Amino acid sequence: MRYLKYLAALLLAALPLAGTAASYPLAVPTSSTQPLDPVYHLNPDGSVVLQVCHDWSCAKRRTLQYSRADMAQVRQQMAMCPGDDLHQRLQRLRIGVWQMELLAEKYLPALANDQALNDLDRELDGRTDCVDNATNIATYLQVLIDLDQLPGWSLAPPQVRNRFDIRTVHWTAVVTDRTANSAWSVDGWFRPNGHLPFVMPVADWAKEQAGWSPPFDRLNPYPEFSQELCREPAAARNERPDKTDGAS
């Protein structure tokens, strides 16, 4: 597996890197029943080349290039939550995923078609299911970890619930908080691409707890202004999605 990931990194590094809006198709993609390992390359000039999945179960994969200026903007947004308490560290992580998703949409506009869950974008190019989401979010998180933007966090293997139920099976990306040796779900499937993901302890996620419901709503604010993310909210303003059943 490490050998294959090394070859993938070499392939990405060999792609032409002219401009800052590059998007390259990968050859012969096939669908996957589980999230893929992160595939990316950090360039010496500060730009990043990475693979993203879409159209459900990574049926389509694109290689995107984020410029040095793009990544500087991501760091600037994440720096709004510089504190060491758990709430701010979680918000910094959520901001990072959000900003990386916005960049993916900038260079792959079809991702703007992605809607929460699976029902609303079933026939549209750019749609993402939970396999796509878990793959892409894990890639974004690993890039940010390697760039020292998420101190104290490390990427863990993705987790699944209801694995053998085709209607309710669901995957999530996972990170480990090394300061507390605790695992956290980072789940973006319940919102369209380019929105803040939901975070909660994996043990609670496995019990199908909702990130928009108490007590987890306090971890997942969606304020009008980004600066408000860093303050633990007195009351969350999240609303439950219209529908939460069905396979992801």
Side-chain angles (χ1 to χ4, degrees):
M1 182 61 71
R2 289 184 179 178
Y3 179 66
L4 291 176
K5 292 173 70 175
Y6 176 70
L7 287 180
L10 289 179
L11 173 62
L12 292 177
L15 289 172
L17 298 179
T20 59
S23 173
Y24 311 98
L26 292 182
V28 199
T30 57
S31 297
S32 176
T33 59
Q34 62 186 41
L36 304 179
D37 290 332
V39 177
Y40 64 97
H41 182 74
L42 307 181
N43 294 314
D45 65 355
S47 64
V48 175
V49 181
L50 53 81
Q51 176 182 281
V52 298
C53 291
H54 62 96
D55 282 16
W56 293 2
S57 300
C58 289
K60 293 183 181 178
R61 305 167 200 174
R62 300 289 291 188
T63 302
L64 308 179
Q65 178 184 331
Y66 294 0
S67 71
R68 177 180 180 179
D70 289 332
M71 297 309 299
Q73 179 65 25
V74 173
R75 290 192 294 271
Q76 181 180 356
Q77 292 295 313
M78 294 175 68
M80 290 189 299
C81 295
D84 293 331
D85 61 279
L86 179 61
H87 182 80
Q88 289 210 36
R89 293 173 62 234
L90 285 170
Q91 302 319 307
R92 182 180 177 88
L93 183 153
R94 296 177 74 220
I95 292 171
V97 170
W98 167 40
Q99 293 297 308
M100 294 290 277
E101 285 192 353
L102 288 176
L103 286 175
E105 189 171 311
K106 173 183 175 181
Y107 295 132
L108 185 57
L111 290 174
N113 292 329
D114 179 56
Q115 300 298 314
L117 313 183
N118 284 356
D119 293 337
L120 299 178
D121 55 10
R122 185 171 297 275
E123 304 299 327
L124 300 178
D125 184 36
R127 64 190 182 274
T128 64
D129 65 1
C130 64
V131 172
D132 300 315
N133 266 276
T135 298
N136 295 342
I137 289 176
T139 300
Y140 303 147
L141 290 170
Q142 188 63 70
V143 167
L144 295 172
I145 288 169
D146 285 359
L147 292 174
D148 297 324
Q149 294 304 299
L150 293 173
W153 297 102
S154 59
L155 189 68
Q159 296 294 307
V160 64
R161 66 191 187 200
N162 304 327
R163 185 170 196 146
F164 301 109
D165 185 341
I166 193 171
R167 295 185 64 255
T168 60
V169 59
H170 186 52
W171 289 90
T172 184
V174 177
V175 288
T176 299
D177 179 5
R178 297 196 305 272
T179 63
N181 194 29
S182 57
W184 288 77
S185 161
V186 186
D187 193 345
W189 180 67
F190 293 95
R191 286 193 171 128
N193 184 77
H195 288 251
L196 290 160
F198 290 100
V199 294
M200 70 169 65
V202 166
D204 296 299
W205 178 90
K207 297 174 184 176
E208 301 190 49
Q209 298 297 305
W212 52 88
S213 297
F216 307 109
D217 53 344
R218 296 179 65 85
L219 300 174
N220 295 289
Y222 205 94
E224 182 176 356
F225 300 104
S226 299
Q227 292 84 347
E228 298 176 14
L229 280 166
C230 305
R231 298 193 298 269
E232 187 168 357
R237 286 186 278 179
N238 290 303
E239 294 183 359
R240 181 182 179 129
D242 294 333
K243 185 177 180 182
T244 58
D245 60 349
S248 57

